[in-house]
Amino acid sequence: MVKGNDMRIFNKLVIATLLVLLYMAPAFADEHAFLKGLPPSDGPLEVLMGFNLVNITDVGEKNENVEFDGAIYLEWMDPRLAYDPATYGMPANWTPGDYSMTPTHIYQGDYAVKETYMGWRPHVVIPNGIGNRIISNMAISIWPDGRVAYSETFFAKAETPMDLRRFPFDAQSLEIFFHPFLYKRDEVILVPDDRLARTWNQNMGIADWSRENVTMREQAIDIAYFDESRSQVSEFVVNLQIKRRPTHLLVSIILPMIILVALTWCVFWMDNESVSSRVNITFIGILSVVAYYFVILDNIPEVSYLTLIDAFIISTFMILSAGVVLSVVMETLGHKNKVHLARRVDRICRWAFPLGYFITASVLGVIFFNLY
């Protein structure tokens, strides 16, 4: 058991410790006053921002989203964090404004940035993101004059509308939005800085897509609240420009379908008496095209407009349906003893159908690549 004298001594030590902490609290608060808000600045705080597209892992046309590995870089001035270069082993003759070298005052890693670093830093969110952004690495660097640089690498999934009118020869412009968390545009502005934008040239996208370009811009965006009031925030927009590689789709689906349609034209070399066989062959072609079309529909969303592949398959249906109609016409001409006319129509169809199919596909290409 603790003796009475020891207990009194312990209580006195606790009281003395509390008094010391209360005495030091104002000084501690003054030393870390920057925790209370934004760094001092004339007008809104300008936060320079850059983006790096590391890798595109998936492009989901069905749900109109993109999964990617990326990195963001933020820089801002906070004079409250200025220090003597010699304190952290930097050259004493360091030139203010020279940010070409990495400073030795660095917080690296999740714990160091979130727990050890006591300064202000901006938090950015992806409003069109799906799920949580998974941050893999983060670091904060501080230069002697108070320039602060924050960088992080992350994995994210974002929902972005796609224009599929020229599918499968389409190119997409996918937009990813970044907003500063909590702060309005008159407090914080995200300024695109090409100096901070980086890229990894070895990566050209996933198998079905090639990366064309990545651009950045800033714009003011209104945020609406439930009470119908509005506020304006700074929106940093990253535009990912990618182009589809259609070779796989053309070779595995479109080419076999065209060959199948061409095989149905063999009916124009068959006897007019075998009308049932002619119709059966054509209907088999129609059902096969329907099956191919369902495979294509599994890869694209239910859009409200006509795509190039939709128009091409509809024209294929019409070509095959015309073959059925002509088979019935041949039978009718045979019953009317107009065999010579029926054979003449067959000979015309042998070149008219392939030519018409080619012209139709060419016209569709001209329409979709020039009017859309």
Side-chain angles (χ1 to χ4, degrees), residues 13-39:
L13 288 174
V14 171
I15 294 173
T17 303
L18 292 175
L19 291 175
V20 170
L21 291 176
L22 289 174
Y23 176 78
M24 294 180 61
F28 182 83
D30 292 338
E31 181 183 356
H32 299 280
F34 50 83
L35 290 174
K36 296 180 179 179
L38 292 168

PDB file of all heavy atoms in Angstrom, residues 13-39:
ATOM      1  N   LEU A  13       3.371  16.507  -6.818  1.00  0.00           N
ATOM      2  CA  LEU A  13       4.022  16.432  -8.130  1.00  0.00           C
ATOM      3  C   LEU A  13       3.002  16.606  -9.257  1.00  0.00           C
ATOM      4  O   LEU A  13       3.279  17.279 -10.270  1.00  0.00           O
ATOM      5  CB  LEU A  13       4.756  15.092  -8.265  1.00  0.00           C
ATOM      6  CG  LEU A  13       6.020  14.918  -7.430  1.00  0.00           C
ATOM      7  CD1 LEU A  13       6.557  13.491  -7.559  1.00  0.00           C
ATOM      8  CD2 LEU A  13       7.090  15.915  -7.853  1.00  0.00           C
ATOM      9  N   VAL A  14       1.846  15.986  -9.100  1.00  0.00           N
ATOM     10  CA  VAL A  14       0.792  16.129 -10.123  1.00  0.00           C
ATOM     11  C   VAL A  14       0.355  17.573 -10.235  1.00  0.00           C
ATOM     12  O   VAL A  14       0.205  18.125 -11.346  1.00  0.00           O
ATOM     13  CB  VAL A  14      -0.404  15.208  -9.786  1.00  0.00           C
ATOM     14  CG1 VAL A  14      -1.568  15.512 -10.713  1.00  0.00           C
ATOM     15  CG2 VAL A  14       0.007  13.754  -9.910  1.00  0.00           C
ATOM     16  N   ILE A  15       0.141  18.228  -9.096  1.00  0.00           N
ATOM     17  CA  ILE A  15      -0.294  19.626  -9.117  1.00  0.00           C
ATOM     18  C   ILE A  15       0.780  20.513  -9.742  1.00  0.00           C
ATOM     19  O   ILE A  15       0.495  21.418 -10.538  1.00  0.00           O
ATOM     20  CB  ILE A  15      -0.632  20.098  -7.682  1.00  0.00           C
ATOM     21  CG1 ILE A  15      -1.855  19.327  -7.164  1.00  0.00           C
ATOM     22  CG2 ILE A  15      -0.882  21.591  -7.652  1.00  0.00           C
ATOM     23  CD1 ILE A  15      -2.169  19.593  -5.700  1.00  0.00           C
ATOM     24  N   ALA A  16       2.060  20.245  -9.380  1.00  0.00           N
ATOM     25  CA  ALA A  16       3.154  21.046  -9.944  1.00  0.00           C
ATOM     26  C   ALA A  16       3.239  20.863 -11.455  1.00  0.00           C
ATOM     27  O   ALA A  16       3.463  21.827 -12.198  1.00  0.00           O
ATOM     28  CB  ALA A  16       4.471  20.648  -9.271  1.00  0.00           C
ATOM     29  N   THR A  17       3.052  19.633 -11.912  1.00  0.00           N
ATOM     30  CA  THR A  17       3.098  19.375 -13.362  1.00  0.00           C
ATOM     31  C   THR A  17       1.981  20.110 -14.080  1.00  0.00           C
ATOM     32  O   THR A  17       2.186  20.711 -15.151  1.00  0.00           O
ATOM     33  CB  THR A  17       2.993  17.868 -13.625  1.00  0.00           C
ATOM     34  OG1 THR A  17       4.052  17.192 -12.937  1.00  0.00           O
ATOM     35  CG2 THR A  17       3.072  17.577 -15.113  1.00  0.00           C
ATOM     36  N   LEU A  18       0.777  20.088 -13.517  1.00  0.00           N
ATOM     37  CA  LEU A  18      -0.343  20.799 -14.128  1.00  0.00           C
ATOM     38  C   LEU A  18      -0.101  22.296 -14.173  1.00  0.00           C
ATOM     39  O   LEU A  18      -0.434  22.967 -15.162  1.00  0.00           O
ATOM     40  CB  LEU A  18      -1.631  20.489 -13.356  1.00  0.00           C
ATOM     41  CG  LEU A  18      -2.153  19.045 -13.458  1.00  0.00           C
ATOM     42  CD1 LEU A  18      -3.360  18.855 -12.555  1.00  0.00           C
ATOM     43  CD2 LEU A  18      -2.518  18.719 -14.910  1.00  0.00           C
ATOM     44  N   LEU A  19       0.472  22.850 -13.103  1.00  0.00           N
ATOM     45  CA  LEU A  19       0.765  24.279 -13.099  1.00  0.00           C
ATOM     46  C   LEU A  19       1.782  24.649 -14.166  1.00  0.00           C
ATOM     47  O   LEU A  19       1.671  25.683 -14.844  1.00  0.00           O
ATOM     48  CB  LEU A  19       1.279  24.692 -11.709  1.00  0.00           C
ATOM     49  CG  LEU A  19       0.247  24.654 -10.566  1.00  0.00           C
ATOM     50  CD1 LEU A  19       0.917  24.965  -9.228  1.00  0.00           C
ATOM     51  CD2 LEU A  19      -0.873  25.655 -10.835  1.00  0.00           C
ATOM     52  N   VAL A  20       2.802  23.785 -14.335  1.00  0.00           N
ATOM     53  CA  VAL A  20       3.810  24.044 -15.373  1.00  0.00           C
ATOM     54  C   VAL A  20       3.176  24.015 -16.759  1.00  0.00           C
ATOM     55  O   VAL A  20       3.455  24.864 -17.617  1.00  0.00           O
ATOM     56  CB  VAL A  20       4.963  23.016 -15.262  1.00  0.00           C
ATOM     57  CG1 VAL A  20       5.873  23.128 -16.472  1.00  0.00           C
ATOM     58  CG2 VAL A  20       5.733  23.238 -13.975  1.00  0.00           C
ATOM     59  N   LEU A  21       2.295  23.010 -16.989  1.00  0.00           N
ATOM     60  CA  LEU A  21       1.632  22.915 -18.289  1.00  0.00           C
ATOM     61  C   LEU A  21       0.735  24.113 -18.548  1.00  0.00           C
ATOM     62  O   LEU A  21       0.692  24.644 -19.671  1.00  0.00           O
ATOM     63  CB  LEU A  21       0.826  21.616 -18.367  1.00  0.00           C
ATOM     64  CG  LEU A  21       1.643  20.321 -18.423  1.00  0.00           C
ATOM     65  CD1 LEU A  21       0.718  19.110 -18.388  1.00  0.00           C
ATOM     66  CD2 LEU A  21       2.505  20.284 -19.685  1.00  0.00           C
ATOM     67  N   LEU A  22       0.018  24.547 -17.523  1.00  0.00           N
ATOM     68  CA  LEU A  22      -0.836  25.719 -17.691  1.00  0.00           C
ATOM     69  C   LEU A  22      -0.006  26.963 -17.964  1.00  0.00           C
ATOM     70  O   LEU A  22      -0.399  27.862 -18.716  1.00  0.00           O
ATOM     71  CB  LEU A  22      -1.692  25.922 -16.441  1.00  0.00           C
ATOM     72  CG  LEU A  22      -2.810  24.893 -16.220  1.00  0.00           C
ATOM     73  CD1 LEU A  22      -3.490  25.126 -14.860  1.00  0.00           C
ATOM     74  CD2 LEU A  22      -3.840  24.967 -17.342  1.00  0.00           C
ATOM     75  N   TYR A  23       1.173  27.023 -17.326  1.00  0.00           N
ATOM     76  CA  TYR A  23       2.049  28.180 -17.535  1.00  0.00           C
ATOM     77  C   TYR A  23       2.620  28.201 -18.945  1.00  0.00           C
ATOM     78  O   TYR A  23       2.770  29.252 -19.565  1.00  0.00           O
ATOM     79  CB  TYR A  23       3.167  28.148 -16.497  1.00  0.00           C
ATOM     80  CG  TYR A  23       4.194  29.243 -16.684  1.00  0.00           C
ATOM     81  CD1 TYR A  23       3.932  30.555 -16.274  1.00  0.00           C
ATOM     82  CD2 TYR A  23       5.435  28.953 -17.285  1.00  0.00           C
ATOM     83  CE1 TYR A  23       4.868  31.542 -16.445  1.00  0.00           C
ATOM     84  CE2 TYR A  23       6.364  29.956 -17.468  1.00  0.00           C
ATOM     85  CZ  TYR A  23       6.087  31.249 -17.045  1.00  0.00           C
ATOM     86  OH  TYR A  23       7.014  32.239 -17.216  1.00  0.00           O
ATOM     87  N   MET A  24       2.925  27.002 -19.475  1.00  0.00           N
ATOM     88  CA  MET A  24       3.546  26.916 -20.804  1.00  0.00           C
ATOM     89  C   MET A  24       2.520  26.916 -21.928  1.00  0.00           C
ATOM     90  O   MET A  24       2.887  27.081 -23.089  1.00  0.00           O
ATOM     91  CB  MET A  24       4.381  25.628 -20.892  1.00  0.00           C
ATOM     92  CG  MET A  24       5.586  25.598 -19.967  1.00  0.00           C
ATOM     93  SD  MET A  24       6.502  24.048 -20.126  1.00  0.00           S
ATOM     94  CE  MET A  24       6.982  24.115 -21.862  1.00  0.00           C
ATOM     95  N   ALA A  25       1.248  26.717 -21.645  1.00  0.00           N
ATOM     96  CA  ALA A  25       0.230  26.601 -22.694  1.00  0.00           C
ATOM     97  C   ALA A  25       0.173  27.818 -23.603  1.00  0.00           C
ATOM     98  O   ALA A  25       0.127  27.701 -24.819  1.00  0.00           O
ATOM     99  CB  ALA A  25      -1.142  26.318 -22.070  1.00  0.00           C
ATOM    100  N   PRO A  26       0.175  29.073 -23.042  1.00  0.00           N
ATOM    101  CA  PRO A  26       0.129  30.227 -23.956  1.00  0.00           C
ATOM    102  C   PRO A  26       1.308  30.274 -24.895  1.00  0.00           C
ATOM    103  O   PRO A  26       1.166  30.587 -26.081  1.00  0.00           O
ATOM    104  CB  PRO A  26       0.120  31.422 -22.991  1.00  0.00           C
ATOM    105  CG  PRO A  26      -0.415  30.870 -21.707  1.00  0.00           C
ATOM    106  CD  PRO A  26       0.118  29.475 -21.629  1.00  0.00           C
ATOM    107  N   ALA A  27       2.516  29.952 -24.381  1.00  0.00           N
ATOM    108  CA  ALA A  27       3.697  29.974 -25.255  1.00  0.00           C
ATOM    109  C   ALA A  27       3.579  28.909 -26.325  1.00  0.00           C
ATOM    110  O   ALA A  27       3.937  29.135 -27.484  1.00  0.00           O
ATOM    111  CB  ALA A  27       4.965  29.757 -24.406  1.00  0.00           C
ATOM    112  N   PHE A  28       3.093  27.719 -25.943  1.00  0.00           N
ATOM    113  CA  PHE A  28       2.924  26.642 -26.928  1.00  0.00           C
ATOM    114  C   PHE A  28       1.906  27.042 -27.990  1.00  0.00           C
ATOM    115  O   PHE A  28       2.101  26.798 -29.176  1.00  0.00           O
ATOM    116  CB  PHE A  28       2.465  25.371 -26.202  1.00  0.00           C
ATOM    117  CG  PHE A  28       2.308  24.190 -27.105  1.00  0.00           C
ATOM    118  CD1 PHE A  28       3.404  23.404 -27.449  1.00  0.00           C
ATOM    119  CD2 PHE A  28       1.070  23.864 -27.614  1.00  0.00           C
ATOM    120  CE1 PHE A  28       3.260  22.321 -28.287  1.00  0.00           C
ATOM    121  CE2 PHE A  28       0.913  22.777 -28.457  1.00  0.00           C
ATOM    122  CZ  PHE A  28       2.012  21.994 -28.787  1.00  0.00           C
ATOM    123  N   ALA A  29       0.815  27.703 -27.552  1.00  0.00           N
ATOM    124  CA  ALA A  29      -0.200  28.129 -28.504  1.00  0.00           C
ATOM    125  C   ALA A  29       0.352  29.166 -29.465  1.00  0.00           C
ATOM    126  O   ALA A  29       0.061  29.156 -30.659  1.00  0.00           O
ATOM    127  CB  ALA A  29      -1.419  28.679 -27.750  1.00  0.00           C
ATOM    128  N   ASP A  30       1.184  30.096 -28.942  1.00  0.00           N
ATOM    129  CA  ASP A  30       1.767  31.105 -29.822  1.00  0.00           C
ATOM    130  C   ASP A  30       2.730  30.474 -30.813  1.00  0.00           C
ATOM    131  O   ASP A  30       2.801  30.860 -31.971  1.00  0.00           O
ATOM    132  CB  ASP A  30       2.496  32.156 -28.984  1.00  0.00           C
ATOM    133  CG  ASP A  30       1.511  32.986 -28.170  1.00  0.00           C
ATOM    134  OD1 ASP A  30       0.323  33.035 -28.558  1.00  0.00           O
ATOM    135  OD2 ASP A  30       1.936  33.564 -27.141  1.00  0.00           O
ATOM    136  N   GLU A  31       3.503  29.483 -30.339  1.00  0.00           N
ATOM    137  CA  GLU A  31       4.487  28.845 -31.211  1.00  0.00           C
ATOM    138  C   GLU A  31       3.807  28.110 -32.359  1.00  0.00           C
ATOM    139  O   GLU A  31       4.312  28.070 -33.476  1.00  0.00           O
ATOM    140  CB  GLU A  31       5.335  27.868 -30.396  1.00  0.00           C
ATOM    141  CG  GLU A  31       6.412  27.171 -31.216  1.00  0.00           C
ATOM    142  CD  GLU A  31       7.188  26.167 -30.385  1.00  0.00           C
ATOM    143  OE1 GLU A  31       6.922  26.090 -29.169  1.00  0.00           O
ATOM    144  OE2 GLU A  31       8.035  25.471 -30.962  1.00  0.00           O
ATOM    145  N   HIS A  32       2.634  27.530 -32.104  1.00  0.00           N
ATOM    146  CA  HIS A  32       1.931  26.756 -33.118  1.00  0.00           C
ATOM    147  C   HIS A  32       0.631  27.447 -33.532  1.00  0.00           C
ATOM    148  O   HIS A  32      -0.368  26.800 -33.803  1.00  0.00           O
ATOM    149  CB  HIS A  32       1.629  25.349 -32.584  1.00  0.00           C
ATOM    150  CG  HIS A  32       2.862  24.581 -32.232  1.00  0.00           C
ATOM    151  ND1 HIS A  32       3.625  23.942 -33.168  1.00  0.00           N
ATOM    152  CD2 HIS A  32       3.470  24.358 -31.036  1.00  0.00           C
ATOM    153  CE1 HIS A  32       4.662  23.344 -32.573  1.00  0.00           C
ATOM    154  NE2 HIS A  32       4.586  23.581 -31.279  1.00  0.00           N
ATOM    155  N   ALA A  33       0.681  28.773 -33.570  1.00  0.00           N
ATOM    156  CA  ALA A  33      -0.525  29.514 -33.929  1.00  0.00           C
ATOM    157  C   ALA A  33      -0.969  29.220 -35.354  1.00  0.00           C
ATOM    158  O   ALA A  33      -2.133  29.397 -35.700  1.00  0.00           O
ATOM    159  CB  ALA A  33      -0.270  31.017 -33.768  1.00  0.00           C
ATOM    160  N   PHE A  34      -0.022  28.769 -36.200  1.00  0.00           N
ATOM    161  CA  PHE A  34      -0.381  28.513 -37.593  1.00  0.00           C
ATOM    162  C   PHE A  34      -1.355  27.359 -37.734  1.00  0.00           C
ATOM    163  O   PHE A  34      -1.929  27.127 -38.778  1.00  0.00           O
ATOM    164  CB  PHE A  34       0.868  28.230 -38.435  1.00  0.00           C
ATOM    165  CG  PHE A  34       1.783  27.181 -37.843  1.00  0.00           C
ATOM    166  CD1 PHE A  34       1.533  25.837 -38.030  1.00  0.00           C
ATOM    167  CD2 PHE A  34       2.888  27.566 -37.104  1.00  0.00           C
ATOM    168  CE1 PHE A  34       2.381  24.892 -37.492  1.00  0.00           C
ATOM    169  CE2 PHE A  34       3.730  26.613 -36.562  1.00  0.00           C
ATOM    170  CZ  PHE A  34       3.485  25.266 -36.749  1.00  0.00           C
ATOM    171  N   LEU A  35      -1.557  26.582 -36.667  1.00  0.00           N
ATOM    172  CA  LEU A  35      -2.528  25.493 -36.728  1.00  0.00           C
ATOM    173  C   LEU A  35      -3.948  26.014 -36.832  1.00  0.00           C
ATOM    174  O   LEU A  35      -4.858  25.265 -37.181  1.00  0.00           O
ATOM    175  CB  LEU A  35      -2.404  24.607 -35.479  1.00  0.00           C
ATOM    176  CG  LEU A  35      -1.145  23.750 -35.379  1.00  0.00           C
ATOM    177  CD1 LEU A  35      -1.111  23.056 -34.030  1.00  0.00           C
ATOM    178  CD2 LEU A  35      -1.106  22.723 -36.487  1.00  0.00           C
ATOM    179  N   LYS A  36      -4.143  27.278 -36.550  1.00  0.00           N
ATOM    180  CA  LYS A  36      -5.503  27.817 -36.481  1.00  0.00           C
ATOM    181  C   LYS A  36      -6.092  28.118 -37.849  1.00  0.00           C
ATOM    182  O   LYS A  36      -7.291  28.356 -37.953  1.00  0.00           O
ATOM    183  CB  LYS A  36      -5.512  29.080 -35.618  1.00  0.00           C
ATOM    184  CG  LYS A  36      -5.141  28.814 -34.157  1.00  0.00           C
ATOM    185  CD  LYS A  36      -5.173  30.087 -33.358  1.00  0.00           C
ATOM    186  CE  LYS A  36      -4.815  29.817 -31.893  1.00  0.00           C
ATOM    187  NZ  LYS A  36      -4.811  31.049 -31.082  1.00  0.00           N
ATOM    188  N   GLY A  37      -5.312  28.197 -38.894  1.00  0.00           N
ATOM    189  CA  GLY A  37      -5.912  28.526 -40.181  1.00  0.00           C
ATOM    190  C   GLY A  37      -4.912  28.712 -41.280  1.00  0.00           C
ATOM    191  O   GLY A  37      -3.772  28.249 -41.227  1.00  0.00           O
ATOM    192  N   LEU A  38      -5.362  29.426 -42.322  1.00  0.00           N
ATOM    193  CA  LEU A  38      -4.561  29.629 -43.522  1.00  0.00           C
ATOM    194  C   LEU A  38      -3.326  30.464 -43.249  1.00  0.00           C
ATOM    195  O   LEU A  38      -3.318  31.300 -42.339  1.00  0.00           O
ATOM    196  CB  LEU A  38      -5.406  30.323 -44.584  1.00  0.00           C
ATOM    197  CG  LEU A  38      -6.563  29.530 -45.198  1.00  0.00           C
ATOM    198  CD1 LEU A  38      -7.451  30.454 -46.001  1.00  0.00           C
ATOM    199  CD2 LEU A  38      -6.015  28.423 -46.086  1.00  0.00           C
ATOM    200  N   PRO A  39      -2.280  30.274 -44.049  1.00  0.00           N
ATOM    201  CA  PRO A  39      -1.122  31.170 -43.962  1.00  0.00           C
ATOM    202  C   PRO A  39      -1.528  32.586 -44.360  1.00  0.00           C
ATOM    203  O   PRO A  39      -2.462  32.784 -45.146  1.00  0.00           O
ATOM    204  CB  PRO A  39      -0.140  30.565 -44.974  1.00  0.00           C
ATOM    205  CG  PRO A  39      -0.583  29.158 -45.156  1.00  0.00           C
ATOM    206  CD  PRO A  39      -2.060  29.165 -44.990  1.00  0.00           C
TER     207      PRO A  39
END
